[in-house]
């Protein structure tokens, strides 16, 4: 079994641990060694970024942070050649086609559905019961929260946070570093560095 650790010991980190456990129930794959976190101390916490960079031996890592900016910042600060990034897909997630490309470090939760001809970047979170339609592209470090529906042929830039229950309609382009509020319905393209909320979604 391959050694794996989670950076982020909060609620999302504990949810990610359940994905590892569910994978192991089907096929023993991962040996969980603990959490890394700079803001939490206690049981199963191996230390923070410094401890991670000093870790000796082979290690797979997954980053359980919802913040898109924090994910990117952390990856840029990890300087340990022993570390590889694990891609975790819950056994109860549905990938409908082999023509779905998923980047390293990505986490896909239970109930998520990805259809066909989809490209998912690195360190993306697709959380519980989210759906991603045909011909979509999701950039690096995106976080797609529970219950989101991304319709077909949507292009999502890097570091986009899509709040729980939001809907993005067909064929839209979402710029980089965008935040989409929970329950929003996106009907138009969104340019970089914007926050939108409401039905239909409008800039905050």
């Amino acid at each position: 079994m391959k050694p794996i650790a989670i950076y982020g010991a909060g609620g999302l980190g504990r949810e990610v641990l359940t994905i590892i456990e569910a994978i192991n129930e089907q096929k023993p794959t991962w040996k969980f060694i603990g959490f890394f976190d700079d803001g939490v101390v206690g049981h199963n916490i191996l230390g923070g970024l410094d401890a991670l960079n000093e870790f000796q031996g082979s290690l797979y890592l997954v980053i359980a942070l919802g913040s898109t900016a924090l994910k990117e910042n952390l990856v840029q600060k990890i300087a340990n050649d022993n570390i590889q990034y694990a891609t975790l897909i819950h056994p109860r997630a549905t990938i409908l086609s082999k023509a779905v490309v998923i980047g390293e470090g990505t986490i896909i939760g239970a109930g998520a559905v990805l259809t066909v001809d989809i490209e998912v970047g690195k360190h993306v979170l697709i959380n519980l019961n989210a759906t991603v339609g045909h011909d979509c592209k999701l950039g690096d470090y995106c976080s797609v929260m529970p219950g989101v529906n991304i319709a077909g042929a949507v292009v999502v830039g890097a570091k986009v946070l899509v709040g729980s229950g939001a809907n993005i309609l067909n064929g839209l382009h979402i710029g980089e570093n965008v935040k989409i509020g929970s329950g929003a319905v996106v009907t138009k393209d969104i340019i970089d560095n914007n926050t939108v909320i409401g039905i239909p979604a409008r800039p905050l």
Side-chain angles (χ1 to χ4, degrees):
M1 293 172 66
K2 296 176 286 190
I4 189 169
I6 298 170
Y7 189 97
L12 179 57
R14 287 180 278 120
E15 289 178 345
V16 171
L17 179 54
T18 69
I19 298 176
I20 293 171
E21 292 169 344
I23 292 170
N24 283 342
E25 286 177 4
Q26 287 204 339
K27 180 182 178 181
T29 303
W30 302 108
K31 180 182 179 182
F32 178 65
I33 67 166
F35 294 96
F36 289 92
D37 198 304
D38 283 279
V40 179
V41 295
H43 178 66
N44 246 2
I45 308 298
L46 305 176
L49 177 61
D50 290 342
L52 181 59
N53 279 332
E54 294 168 2
F55 186 87
Q56 300 296 311
S58 176
L59 180 66
Y60 284 84
L61 181 71
V62 64
I63 298 172
L65 300 174
S67 167
T68 60
L70 287 178
K71 283 193 284 188
E72 181 187 44
N73 186 52
L74 178 65
V75 170
Q76 290 174 348
K77 290 181 177 179
I78 292 173
N80 186 334
D81 292 337
N82 295 320
I83 291 173
Q84 300 179 68
Y85 293 104
T87 299
L88 300 179
I89 302 172
H90 196 287
R92 293 202 301 274
T94 302
I95 312 294
L96 294 179
S97 168
K98 293 181 179 179
V100 174
V101 179
I102 299 172
E104 67 177 12
T106 286
I107 302 163
I108 300 179
V113 178
L114 286 74
T115 63
V116 297
D117 298 312
I118 295 168
E119 296 179 19
V120 179
K122 299 177 181 179
H123 305 288
V124 173
L125 170 65
I126 300 176
N127 215 322
L128 303 167
N129 299 315
T131 63
V132 182
H134 63 86
D135 301 295
C136 283
K137 296 182 180 180
L138 276 63
D140 297 343
Y141 305 108
C142 288
S143 289
V144 177
M145 295 307 182
V148 166
N149 177 36
I150 301 176
V154 174
V155 177
V156 179
K159 294 179 289 182
V160 171
L161 173 65
V162 187
S164 298
N167 289 271
I168 303 175
L169 302 189
N170 286 66
L172 297 182
H173 186 282
I174 310 301
E176 295 189 358
N177 195 34
V178 165
K179 293 180 175 62
I180 297 172
S182 296
V185 177
V186 181
T187 61
K188 296 180 180 179
D189 292 350
I190 305 173
I191 61 173
D192 295 352
N193 305 308
N194 255 292
T195 297
V196 299
I197 61 172
I199 304 173
R202 293 185 173 88
L204 181 65

